[in-house]
Amino acid sequence: MAQVVTAFWKRKTLEQMDRQEWESLCDGCGLCCLQKLEDEDDPNTVYYTRIACKLLDLKTCRCSDYPNRRKHVPDCVQLTPASAAEFAWLPPTCAYRLVAEGEDLPPWHPLVCGDPQAVHKTGISQAGRMLAEGSVADEDWEDHIIFRV
């Protein structure tokens, strides 16, 4: 009789995952690489803009220099299991946030459906709808807010 294998994100905590498992949680939406604004009156509210980090490829939603990103963007946030309690700023669709909160991955996630393009096909990513960081003046970022968390 065949044994049913439970997916690693359902049976492991973020701390228990190896590097490959951890990296595979990223669905490639690129939303975490969009510029964000904090609400001055409510520091727990974060507004996402359609303005992409200078390293984000606007078509693929992938970092153009992931291994060296912190050299080019010193304030790039590196997600770690130790910082999981602070993942509330991530989009509600983010696998890191979902797993940290004990939730399952959505059906369009590449680990679930097997299609790395599903995140784009379903419209979760902002592929083709983002703006390059240098193309918008800082004072105009509010004009490009797309959602808040």
Side-chain angles (χ1 to χ4, degrees):
M1 182 170 206
Q3 182 178 0
V4 175
V5 179
T6 304
F8 72 86
W9 63 89
K10 292 181 182 181
R11 62 182 159 78
K12 290 184 175 185
T13 64
L14 292 172
E15 294 83 8
Q16 294 170 327
M17 292 180 191
D18 64 31
R19 183 169 172 79
Q20 182 180 1
E21 291 167 335
W22 175 266
E23 293 293 331
S24 72
L25 284 179
C26 177
D27 61 25
C29 74
L31 295 176
C32 62
C33 299
L34 296 177
Q35 298 298 339
K36 295 155 209 69
L37 301 171
E38 292 183 28
D39 188 323
E40 293 175 5
D41 298 326
D42 181 4
N44 294 324
T45 300
V46 176
Y47 293 90
Y48 278 67
T49 71
R50 69 178 68 258
I51 303 163
C53 166
K54 66 182 179 180
L55 294 180
L56 191 67
D57 183 304
L58 302 181
K59 292 180 183 170
T60 66
C61 296
R62 292 290 184 172
C63 183
S64 61
D65 194 7
Y66 185 71
N68 302 302
R69 67 193 183 281
R70 301 207 53 184
K71 290 179 188 174
H72 304 290
V73 182
D75 62 344
C76 177
V77 177
Q78 182 171 355
L79 302 179
T80 66
S83 63
E86 302 165 14
F87 286 179
W89 65 270
L90 290 167
T93 56
C94 178
Y96 295 104
R97 178 177 173 175
L98 290 169
V99 172
E101 294 174 351
E103 301 292 330
D104 199 359
L105 301 183
W108 48 261
H109 192 285
L111 289 172
V112 176
C113 73
D115 181 3
Q117 296 303 310
V119 69
H120 307 301
K121 292 174 185 174
T122 59
I124 300 299
S125 81
Q126 288 289 306
R129 296 176 283 179
M130 297 179 285
L131 301 171
E133 184 174 356
S135 70
V136 179
D138 291 358
E139 61 270 15
D140 294 332
W141 283 14
E142 284 185 19
D143 296 337
H144 298 282
I145 292 173
I146 53 176
F147 67 89
R148 72 181 184 125
V149 291

